[in-house]
mmCIF file with all atom_site columns, all heavy atoms in Angstrom:
data_model
loop_
_atom_site.group_PDB
_atom_site.id
_atom_site.type_symbol
_atom_site.label_atom_id
_atom_site.label_alt_id
_atom_site.label_comp_id
_atom_site.label_asym_id
_atom_site.label_entity_id
_atom_site.label_seq_id
_atom_site.pdbx_PDB_ins_code
_atom_site.Cartn_x
_atom_site.Cartn_y
_atom_site.Cartn_z
_atom_site.occupancy
_atom_site.B_iso_or_equiv
_atom_site.pdbx_formal_charge
_atom_site.auth_seq_id
_atom_site.auth_comp_id
_atom_site.auth_asym_id
_atom_site.auth_atom_id
_atom_site.pdbx_PDB_model_num
ATOM 1   N N   . LEU Q 1 180 ? 111.030 89.503 103.621 1.00 98.00 ? 191 LEU Q N   1
ATOM 2   C CA  . LEU Q 1 180 ? 110.479 89.848 104.928 1.00 98.00 ? 191 LEU Q CA  1
ATOM 3   C C   . LEU Q 1 180 ? 109.035 89.390 105.041 1.00 98.00 ? 191 LEU Q C   1
ATOM 4   O O   . LEU Q 1 180 ? 108.583 88.977 106.114 1.00 98.00 ? 191 LEU Q O   1
ATOM 5   C CB  . LEU Q 1 180 ? 110.598 91.350 105.169 1.00 98.00 ? 191 LEU Q CB  1
ATOM 6   C CG  . LEU Q 1 180 ? 112.020 91.912 105.145 1.00 98.00 ? 191 LEU Q CG  1
ATOM 7   C CD1 . LEU Q 1 180 ? 112.035 93.366 105.594 1.00 98.00 ? 191 LEU Q CD1 1
ATOM 8   C CD2 . LEU Q 1 180 ? 112.956 91.082 106.016 1.00 98.00 ? 191 LEU Q CD2 1
ATOM 9   N N   . LEU Q 1 181 ? 108.300 89.471 103.946 1.00 98.00 ? 192 LEU Q N   1
ATOM 10  C CA  . LEU Q 1 181 ? 106.933 88.933 103.950 1.00 98.00 ? 192 LEU Q CA  1
ATOM 11  C C   . LEU Q 1 181 ? 106.968 87.437 104.256 1.00 98.00 ? 192 LEU Q C   1
ATOM 12  O O   . LEU Q 1 181 ? 106.176 86.940 105.066 1.00 98.00 ? 192 LEU Q O   1
ATOM 13  C CB  . LEU Q 1 181 ? 106.278 89.212 102.598 1.00 98.00 ? 192 LEU Q CB  1
ATOM 14  C CG  . LEU Q 1 181 ? 104.840 88.722 102.402 1.00 98.00 ? 192 LEU Q CG  1
ATOM 15  C CD1 . LEU Q 1 181 ? 104.070 89.693 101.487 1.00 98.00 ? 192 LEU Q CD1 1
ATOM 16  C CD2 . LEU Q 1 181 ? 104.806 87.318 101.783 1.00 98.00 ? 192 LEU Q CD2 1
ATOM 17  N N   . ARG Q 1 182 ? 107.888 86.718 103.625 1.00 98.00 ? 193 ARG Q N   1
ATOM 18  C CA  . ARG Q 1 182 ? 107.989 85.275 103.883 1.00 98.00 ? 193 ARG Q CA  1
ATOM 19  C C   . ARG Q 1 182 ? 108.361 84.991 105.328 1.00 98.00 ? 193 ARG Q C   1
ATOM 20  O O   . ARG Q 1 182 ? 107.884 84.005 105.919 1.00 98.00 ? 193 ARG Q O   1
ATOM 21  C CB  . ARG Q 1 182 ? 109.017 84.645 102.934 1.00 98.00 ? 193 ARG Q CB  1
ATOM 22  C CG  . ARG Q 1 182 ? 108.542 84.517 101.495 1.00 98.00 ? 193 ARG Q CG  1
ATOM 23  C CD  . ARG Q 1 182 ? 109.461 83.620 100.685 1.00 98.00 ? 193 ARG Q CD  1
ATOM 24  N NE  . ARG Q 1 182 ? 110.758 84.225 100.478 1.00 98.00 ? 193 ARG Q NE  1
ATOM 25  C CZ  . ARG Q 1 182 ? 111.050 85.033 99.464  1.00 98.00 ? 193 ARG Q CZ  1
ATOM 26  N NH1 . ARG Q 1 182 ? 110.127 85.324 98.564  1.00 98.00 ? 193 ARG Q NH1 1
ATOM 27  N NH2 . ARG Q 1 182 ? 112.260 85.541 99.337  1.00 98.00 ? 193 ARG Q NH2 1
ATOM 28  N N   . PHE Q 1 183 ? 109.201 85.831 105.905 1.00 98.00 ? 194 PHE Q N   1
ATOM 29  C CA  . PHE Q 1 183 ? 109.574 85.643 107.308 1.00 98.00 ? 194 PHE Q CA  1
ATOM 30  C C   . PHE Q 1 183 ? 108.345 85.735 108.208 1.00 98.00 ? 194 PHE Q C   1
ATOM 31  O O   . PHE Q 1 183 ? 108.148 84.894 109.096 1.00 98.00 ? 194 PHE Q O   1
ATOM 32  C CB  . PHE Q 1 183 ? 110.607 86.688 107.723 1.00 98.00 ? 194 PHE Q CB  1
ATOM 33  C CG  . PHE Q 1 183 ? 110.645 86.954 109.204 1.00 98.00 ? 194 PHE Q CG  1
ATOM 34  C CD1 . PHE Q 1 183 ? 110.985 85.952 110.101 1.00 98.00 ? 194 PHE Q CD1 1
ATOM 35  C CD2 . PHE Q 1 183 ? 110.306 88.211 109.706 1.00 98.00 ? 194 PHE Q CD2 1
ATOM 36  C CE1 . PHE Q 1 183 ? 110.996 86.191 111.477 1.00 98.00 ? 194 PHE Q CE1 1
ATOM 37  C CE2 . PHE Q 1 183 ? 110.317 88.454 111.060 1.00 98.00 ? 194 PHE Q CE2 1
ATOM 38  C CZ  . PHE Q 1 183 ? 110.661 87.450 111.959 1.00 98.00 ? 194 PHE Q CZ  1
ATOM 39  N N   . VAL Q 1 184 ? 107.493 86.737 107.985 1.00 98.00 ? 195 VAL Q N   1
ATOM 40  C CA  . VAL Q 1 184 ? 106.300 86.882 108.824 1.00 98.00 ? 195 VAL Q CA  1
ATOM 41  C C   . VAL Q 1 184 ? 105.352 85.702 108.614 1.00 98.00 ? 195 VAL Q C   1
ATOM 42  O O   . VAL Q 1 184 ? 104.761 85.184 109.567 1.00 98.00 ? 195 VAL Q O   1
ATOM 43  C CB  . VAL Q 1 184 ? 105.591 88.217 108.531 1.00 98.00 ? 195 VAL Q CB  1
ATOM 44  C CG1 . VAL Q 1 184 ? 104.289 88.317 109.334 1.00 98.00 ? 195 VAL Q CG1 1
ATOM 45  C CG2 . VAL Q 1 184 ? 106.497 89.398 108.877 1.00 98.00 ? 195 VAL Q CG2 1
ATOM 46  N N   . VAL Q 1 185 ? 105.225 85.253 107.377 1.00 98.00 ? 196 VAL Q N   1
ATOM 47  C CA  . VAL Q 1 185 ? 104.371 84.089 107.117 1.00 98.00 ? 196 VAL Q CA  1
ATOM 48  C C   . VAL Q 1 185 ? 104.916 82.863 107.845 1.00 98.00 ? 196 VAL Q C   1
ATOM 49  O O   . VAL Q 1 185 ? 104.158 82.118 108.493 1.00 98.00 ? 196 VAL Q O   1
ATOM 50  C CB  . VAL Q 1 185 ? 104.253 83.823 105.607 1.00 98.00 ? 196 VAL Q CB  1
ATOM 51  C CG1 . VAL Q 1 185 ? 103.515 82.509 105.353 1.00 98.00 ? 196 VAL Q CG1 1
ATOM 52  C CG2 . VAL Q 1 185 ? 103.520 84.976 104.913 1.00 98.00 ? 196 VAL Q CG2 1
ATOM 53  N N   . ALA Q 1 186 ? 106.224 82.643 107.764 1.00 98.00 ? 197 ALA Q N   1
ATOM 54  C CA  . ALA Q 1 186 ? 106.817 81.496 108.465 1.00 98.00 ? 197 ALA Q CA  1
ATOM 55  C C   . ALA Q 1 186 ? 106.569 81.595 109.966 1.00 98.00 ? 197 ALA Q C   1
ATOM 56  O O   . ALA Q 1 186 ? 106.272 80.587 110.632 1.00 98.00 ? 197 ALA Q O   1
ATOM 57  C CB  . ALA Q 1 186 ? 108.314 81.432 108.173 1.00 98.00 ? 197 ALA Q CB  1
ATOM 58  N N   . HIS Q 1 187 ? 106.668 82.801 110.501 1.00 98.00 ? 198 HIS Q N   1
ATOM 59  C CA  . HIS Q 1 187 ? 106.437 83.018 111.933 1.00 98.00 ? 198 HIS Q CA  1
ATOM 60  C C   . HIS Q 1 187 ? 105.015 82.634 112.314 1.00 98.00 ? 198 HIS Q C   1
ATOM 61  O O   . HIS Q 1 187 ? 104.789 81.906 113.292 1.00 98.00 ? 198 HIS Q O   1
ATOM 62  C CB  . HIS Q 1 187 ? 106.708 84.489 112.257 1.00 98.00 ? 198 HIS Q CB  1
ATOM 63  C CG  . HIS Q 1 187 ? 106.517 84.833 113.702 1.00 98.00 ? 198 HIS Q CG  1
ATOM 64  N ND1 . HIS Q 1 187 ? 107.562 84.878 114.596 1.00 98.00 ? 198 HIS Q ND1 1
ATOM 65  C CD2 . HIS Q 1 187 ? 105.400 85.148 114.417 1.00 98.00 ? 198 HIS Q CD2 1
ATOM 66  C CE1 . HIS Q 1 187 ? 107.097 85.198 115.796 1.00 98.00 ? 198 HIS Q CE1 1
ATOM 67  N NE2 . HIS Q 1 187 ? 105.791 85.373 115.707 1.00 98.00 ? 198 HIS Q NE2 1
ATOM 68  N N   . GLU Q 1 188 ? 104.033 83.123 111.534 1.00 98.00 ? 199 GLU Q N   1
ATOM 69  C CA  . GLU Q 1 188 ? 102.641 82.859 111.891 1.00 98.00 ? 199 GLU Q CA  1
ATOM 70  C C   . GLU Q 1 188 ? 102.256 81.398 111.658 1.00 98.00 ? 199 GLU Q C   1
ATOM 71  O O   . GLU Q 1 188 ? 101.519 80.815 112.452 1.00 98.00 ? 199 GLU Q O   1
ATOM 72  C CB  . GLU Q 1 188 ? 101.713 83.800 111.122 1.00 98.00 ? 199 GLU Q CB  1
ATOM 73  C CG  . GLU Q 1 188 ? 101.925 85.275 111.413 1.00 98.00 ? 199 GLU Q CG  1
ATOM 74  C CD  . GLU Q 1 188 ? 101.867 85.618 112.898 1.00 98.00 ? 199 GLU Q CD  1
ATOM 75  O OE1 . GLU Q 1 188 ? 101.149 84.920 113.645 1.00 98.00 ? 199 GLU Q OE1 1
ATOM 76  O OE2 . GLU Q 1 188 ? 102.536 86.570 113.315 1.00 98.00 ? 199 GLU Q OE2 1
ATOM 77  N N   . VAL Q 1 189 ? 102.753 80.809 110.595 1.00 98.00 ? 200 VAL Q N   1
ATOM 78  C CA  . VAL Q 1 189 ? 102.446 79.389 110.351 1.00 98.00 ? 200 VAL Q CA  1
ATOM 79  C C   . VAL Q 1 189 ? 103.073 78.518 111.443 1.00 98.00 ? 200 VAL Q C   1
ATOM 80  O O   . VAL Q 1 189 ? 102.470 77.524 111.875 1.00 98.00 ? 200 VAL Q O   1
ATOM 81  C CB  . VAL Q 1 189 ? 102.925 78.967 108.948 1.00 98.00 ? 200 VAL Q CB  1
ATOM 82  C CG1 . VAL Q 1 189 ? 102.807 77.445 108.782 1.00 98.00 ? 200 VAL Q CG1 1
ATOM 83  C CG2 . VAL Q 1 189 ? 102.108 79.672 107.867 1.00 98.00 ? 200 VAL Q CG2 1
ATOM 84  N N   . ALA Q 1 190 ? 104.244 78.901 111.922 1.00 98.00 ? 201 ALA Q N   1
ATOM 85  C CA  . ALA Q 1 190 ? 104.868 78.147 113.015 1.00 98.00 ? 201 ALA Q CA  1
ATOM 86  C C   . ALA Q 1 190 ? 103.983 78.140 114.257 1.00 98.00 ? 201 ALA Q C   1
ATOM 87  O O   . ALA Q 1 190 ? 104.025 77.193 115.053 1.00 98.00 ? 201 ALA Q O   1
ATOM 88  C CB  . ALA Q 1 190 ? 106.244 78.738 113.340 1.00 98.00 ? 201 ALA Q CB  1
ATOM 89  N N   . HIS Q 1 191 ? 103.175 79.176 114.417 1.00 98.00 ? 202 HIS Q N   1
ATOM 90  C CA  . HIS Q 1 191 ? 102.256 79.226 115.555 1.00 98.00 ? 202 HIS Q CA  1
ATOM 91  C C   . HIS Q 1 191 ? 101.132 78.188 115.440 1.00 98.00 ? 202 HIS Q C   1
ATOM 92  O O   . HIS Q 1 191 ? 100.456 77.920 116.430 1.00 98.00 ? 202 HIS Q O   1
ATOM 93  C CB  . HIS Q 1 191 ? 101.649 80.614 115.699 1.00 98.00 ? 202 HIS Q CB  1
ATOM 94  C CG  . HIS Q 1 191 ? 102.525 81.576 116.449 1.00 98.00 ? 202 HIS Q CG  1
ATOM 95  N ND1 . HIS Q 1 191 ? 103.111 81.253 117.649 1.00 98.00 ? 202 HIS Q ND1 1
ATOM 96  C CD2 . HIS Q 1 191 ? 102.907 82.854 116.167 1.00 98.00 ? 202 HIS Q CD2 1
ATOM 97  C CE1 . HIS Q 1 191 ? 103.816 82.285 118.086 1.00 98.00 ? 202 HIS Q CE1 1
ATOM 98  N NE2 . HIS Q 1 191 ? 103.723 83.256 117.210 1.00 98.00 ? 202 HIS Q NE2 1
ATOM 99  N N   . ARG Q 1 192 ? 100.943 77.605 114.266 1.00 97.00 ? 203 ARG Q N   1
ATOM 100 C CA  . ARG Q 1 192 ? 99.952  76.532 114.148 1.00 97.00 ? 203 ARG Q CA  1
ATOM 101 C C   . ARG Q 1 192 ? 100.457 75.267 114.849 1.00 97.00 ? 203 ARG Q C   1
ATOM 102 O O   . ARG Q 1 192 ? 99.670  74.374 115.148 1.00 97.00 ? 203 ARG Q O   1
ATOM 103 C CB  . ARG Q 1 192 ? 99.676  76.232 112.667 1.00 97.00 ? 203 ARG Q CB  1
ATOM 104 C CG  . ARG Q 1 192 ? 98.948  77.333 111.939 1.00 97.00 ? 203 ARG Q CG  1
ATOM 105 C CD  . ARG Q 1 192 ? 97.532  77.564 112.498 1.00 97.00 ? 203 ARG Q CD  1
ATOM 106 N NE  . ARG Q 1 192 ? 96.672  76.413 112.244 1.00 97.00 ? 203 ARG Q NE  1
ATOM 107 C CZ  . ARG Q 1 192 ? 96.027  75.735 113.194 1.00 97.00 ? 203 ARG Q CZ  1
ATOM 108 N NH1 . ARG Q 1 192 ? 96.154  76.060 114.477 1.00 97.00 ? 203 ARG Q NH1 1
ATOM 109 N NH2 . ARG Q 1 192 ? 95.245  74.719 112.871 1.00 97.00 ? 203 ARG Q NH2 1
ATOM 110 N N   . LEU Q 1 193 ? 101.756 75.218 115.097 1.00 97.00 ? 204 LEU Q N   1
ATOM 111 C CA  . LEU Q 1 193 ? 102.331 74.085 115.822 1.00 97.00 ? 204 LEU Q CA  1
ATOM 112 C C   . LEU Q 1 193 ? 102.626 74.429 117.274 1.00 97.00 ? 204 LEU Q C   1
ATOM 113 O O   . LEU Q 1 193 ? 102.496 73.584 118.156 1.00 97.00 ? 204 LEU Q O   1
ATOM 114 C CB  . LEU Q 1 193 ? 103.607 73.608 115.125 1.00 97.00 ? 204 LEU Q CB  1
ATOM 115 C CG  . LEU Q 1 193 ? 103.397 72.984 113.742 1.00 97.00 ? 204 LEU Q CG  1
ATOM 116 C CD1 . LEU Q 1 193 ? 104.732 72.811 113.032 1.00 97.00 ? 204 LEU Q CD1 1
ATOM 117 C CD2 . LEU Q 1 193 ? 102.680 71.651 113.862 1.00 97.00 ? 204 LEU Q CD2 1
ATOM 118 N N   . HIS Q 1 194 ? 103.028 75.671 117.516 1.00 96.00 ? 205 HIS Q N   1
ATOM 119 C CA  . HIS Q 1 194 ? 103.374 76.100 118.872 1.00 96.00 ? 205 HIS Q CA  1
ATOM 120 C C   . HIS Q 1 194 ? 102.889 77.542 119.055 1.00 96.00 ? 205 HIS Q C   1
ATOM 121 O O   . HIS Q 1 194 ? 103.363 78.450 118.367 1.00 96.00 ? 205 HIS Q O   1
ATOM 122 C CB  . HIS Q 1 194 ? 104.886 76.027 119.094 1.00 96.00 ? 205 HIS Q CB  1
ATOM 123 C CG  . HIS Q 1 194 ? 105.481 74.690 118.796 1.00 96.00 ? 205 HIS Q CG  1
ATOM 124 N ND1 . HIS Q 1 194 ? 105.292 73.594 119.613 1.00 96.00 ? 205 HIS Q ND1 1
ATOM 125 C CD2 . HIS Q 1 194 ? 106.229 74.268 117.744 1.00 96.00 ? 205 HIS Q CD2 1
ATOM 126 C CE1 . HIS Q 1 194 ? 105.918 72.549 119.091 1.00 96.00 ? 205 HIS Q CE1 1
ATOM 127 N NE2 . HIS Q 1 194 ? 106.488 72.936 117.953 1.00 96.00 ? 205 HIS Q NE2 1
ATOM 128 N N   . LEU Q 1 195 ? 101.973 77.759 119.976 1.00 93.00 ? 206 LEU Q N   1
ATOM 129 C CA  . LEU Q 1 195 ? 101.407 79.091 120.167 1.00 93.00 ? 206 LEU Q CA  1
ATOM 130 C C   . LEU Q 1 195 ? 102.298 79.998 121.011 1.00 93.00 ? 206 LEU Q C   1
ATOM 131 O O   . LEU Q 1 195 ? 102.038 81.193 121.111 1.00 93.00 ? 206 LEU Q O   1
ATOM 132 C CB  . LEU Q 1 195 ? 100.011 78.993 120.800 1.00 93.00 ? 206 LEU Q CB  1
ATOM 133 C CG  . LEU Q 1 195 ? 98.893  78.574 119.834 1.00 93.00 ? 206 LEU Q CG  1
ATOM 134 C CD1 . LEU Q 1 195 ? 97.586  78.356 120.581 1.00 93.00 ? 206 LEU Q CD1 1
ATOM 135 C CD2 . LEU Q 1 195 ? 98.710  79.595 118.717 1.00 93.00 ? 206 LEU Q CD2 1
ATOM 136 N N   . ASP Q 1 196 ? 103.340 79.429 121.618 1.00 92.00 ? 207 ASP Q N   1
ATOM 137 C CA  . ASP Q 1 196 ? 104.258 80.260 122.402 1.00 92.00 ? 207 ASP Q CA  1
ATOM 138 C C   . ASP Q 1 196 ? 105.459 80.639 121.536 1.00 92.00 ? 207 ASP Q C   1
ATOM 139 O O   . ASP Q 1 196 ? 105.458 80.438 120.318 1.00 92.00 ? 207 ASP Q O   1
ATOM 140 C CB  . ASP Q 1 196 ? 104.708 79.515 123.656 1.00 92.00 ? 207 ASP Q CB  1
ATOM 141 C CG  . ASP Q 1 196 ? 105.392 78.189 123.316 1.00 92.00 ? 207 ASP Q CG  1
ATOM 142 O OD1 . ASP Q 1 196 ? 105.777 77.992 122.135 1.00 92.00 ? 207 ASP Q OD1 1
ATOM 143 O OD2 . ASP Q 1 196 ? 105.569 77.358 124.221 1.00 92.00 ? 207 ASP Q OD2 1
ATOM 144 N N   . HIS Q 1 197 ? 106.487 81.222 122.147 1.00 92.00 ? 208 HIS Q N   1
ATOM 145 C CA  . HIS Q 1 197 ? 107.710 81.576 121.437 1.00 92.00 ? 208 HIS Q CA  1
ATOM 146 C C   . HIS Q 1 197 ? 108.909 80.837 122.031 1.00 92.00 ? 208 HIS Q C   1
ATOM 147 O O   . HIS Q 1 197 ? 110.018 81.350 122.061 1.00 92.00 ? 208 HIS Q O   1
ATOM 148 C CB  . HIS Q 1 197 ? 107.950 83.089 121.487 1.00 92.00 ? 208 HIS Q CB  1
ATOM 149 C CG  . HIS Q 1 197 ? 106.996 83.886 120.652 1.00 92.00 ? 208 HIS Q CG  1
ATOM 150 N ND1 . HIS Q 1 197 ? 105.874 84.474 121.175 1.00 92.00 ? 208 HIS Q ND1 1
ATOM 151 C CD2 . HIS Q 1 197 ? 106.998 84.169 119.325 1.00 92.00 ? 208 HIS Q CD2 1
ATOM 152 C CE1 . HIS Q 1 197 ? 105.226 85.101 120.213 1.00 92.00 ? 208 HIS Q CE1 1
ATOM 153 N NE2 . HIS Q 1 197 ? 105.872 84.930 119.082 1.00 92.00 ? 208 HIS Q NE2 1
ATOM 154 N N   . GLY Q 1 198 ? 108.665 79.613 122.464 1.00 94.00 ? 209 GLY Q N   1
ATOM 155 C CA  . GLY Q 1 198 ? 109.713 78.821 123.088 1.00 94.00 ? 209 GLY Q CA  1
ATOM 156 C C   . GLY Q 1 198 ? 110.675 78.213 122.079 1.00 94.00 ? 209 GLY Q C   1
ATOM 157 O O   . GLY Q 1 198 ? 110.589 78.455 120.867 1.00 94.00 ? 209 GLY Q O   1
ATOM 158 N N   . PRO Q 1 199 ? 111.611 77.419 122.551 1.00 95.00 ? 210 PRO Q N   1
ATOM 159 C CA  . PRO Q 1 199 ? 112.638 76.821 121.683 1.00 95.00 ? 210 PRO Q CA  1
ATOM 160 C C   . PRO Q 1 199 ? 112.062 75.993 120.543 1.00 95.00 ? 210 PRO Q C   1
ATOM 161 O O   . PRO Q 1 199 ? 112.586 76.021 119.422 1.00 95.00 ? 210 PRO Q O   1
ATOM 162 C CB  . PRO Q 1 199 ? 113.445 75.957 122.650 1.00 95.00 ? 210 PRO Q CB  1
ATOM 163 C CG  . PRO Q 1 199 ? 113.241 76.587 123.990 1.00 95.00 ? 210 PRO Q CG  1
ATOM 164 C CD  . PRO Q 1 199 ? 111.835 77.103 123.980 1.00 95.00 ? 210 PRO Q CD  1
ATOM 165 N N   . ARG Q 1 200 ? 111.002 75.226 120.797 1.00 97.00 ? 211 ARG Q N   1
ATOM 166 C CA  . ARG Q 1 200 ? 110.427 74.406 119.731 1.00 97.00 ? 211 ARG Q CA  1
ATOM 167 C C   . ARG Q 1 200 ? 109.818 75.283 118.652 1.00 97.00 ? 211 ARG Q C   1
ATOM 168 O O   . ARG Q 1 200 ? 109.953 74.988 117.453 1.00 97.00 ? 211 ARG Q O   1
ATOM 169 C CB  . ARG Q 1 200 ? 109.383 73.451 120.313 1.00 97.00 ? 211 ARG Q CB  1
ATOM 170 C CG  . ARG Q 1 200 ? 109.964 72.340 121.175 1.00 97.00 ? 211 ARG Q CG  1
ATOM 171 C CD  . ARG Q 1 200 ? 108.912 71.335 121.575 1.00 97.00 ? 211 ARG Q CD  1
ATOM 172 N NE  . ARG Q 1 200 ? 107.819 71.966 122.307 1.00 97.00 ? 211 ARG Q NE  1
ATOM 173 C CZ  . ARG Q 1 200 ? 106.673 71.373 122.603 1.00 97.00 ? 211 ARG Q CZ  1
ATOM 174 N NH1 . ARG Q 1 200 ? 106.467 70.113 122.225 1.00 97.00 ? 211 ARG Q NH1 1
ATOM 175 N NH2 . ARG Q 1 200 ? 105.734 72.006 123.287 1.00 97.00 ? 211 ARG Q NH2 1
ATOM 176 N N   . PHE Q 1 201 ? 109.151 76.357 119.072 1.00 97.00 ? 212 PHE Q N   1
ATOM 177 C CA  . PHE Q 1 201 ? 108.602 77.302 118.093 1.00 97.00 ? 212 PHE Q CA  1
ATOM 178 C C   . PHE Q 1 201 ? 109.720 77.891 117.245 1.00 97.00 ? 212 PHE Q C   1
ATOM 179 O O   . PHE Q 1 201 ? 109.621 77.957 116.013 1.00 97.00 ? 212 PHE Q O   1
ATOM 180 C CB  . PHE Q 1 201 ? 107.837 78.423 118.794 1.00 97.00 ? 212 PHE Q CB  1
ATOM 181 C CG  . PHE Q 1 201 ? 107.547 79.590 117.895 1.00 97.00 ? 212 PHE Q CG  1
ATOM 182 C CD1 . PHE Q 1 201 ? 106.447 79.567 117.046 1.00 97.00 ? 212 PHE Q CD1 1
ATOM 183 C CD2 . PHE Q 1 201 ? 108.393 80.701 117.861 1.00 97.00 ? 212 PHE Q CD2 1
ATOM 184 C CE1 . PHE Q 1 201 ? 106.194 80.633 116.186 1.00 97.00 ? 212 PHE Q CE1 1
ATOM 185 C CE2 . PHE Q 1 201 ? 108.144 81.763 117.014 1.00 97.00 ? 212 PHE Q CE2 1
ATOM 186 C CZ  . PHE Q 1 201 ? 107.039 81.728 116.170 1.00 97.00 ? 212 PHE Q CZ  1
#
Side-chain angles (χ1 to χ4, degrees):
L191 300 188
L192 180 147
R193 287 193 291 272
F194 157 63
V195 176
V196 173
H198 181 96
E199 298 306 330
V200 171
H202 277 312
R203 291 296 293 123
L204 293 169
H205 306 287
L206 283 174
D207 58 16
H208 289 97
R211 290 187 302 169
F212 166 83

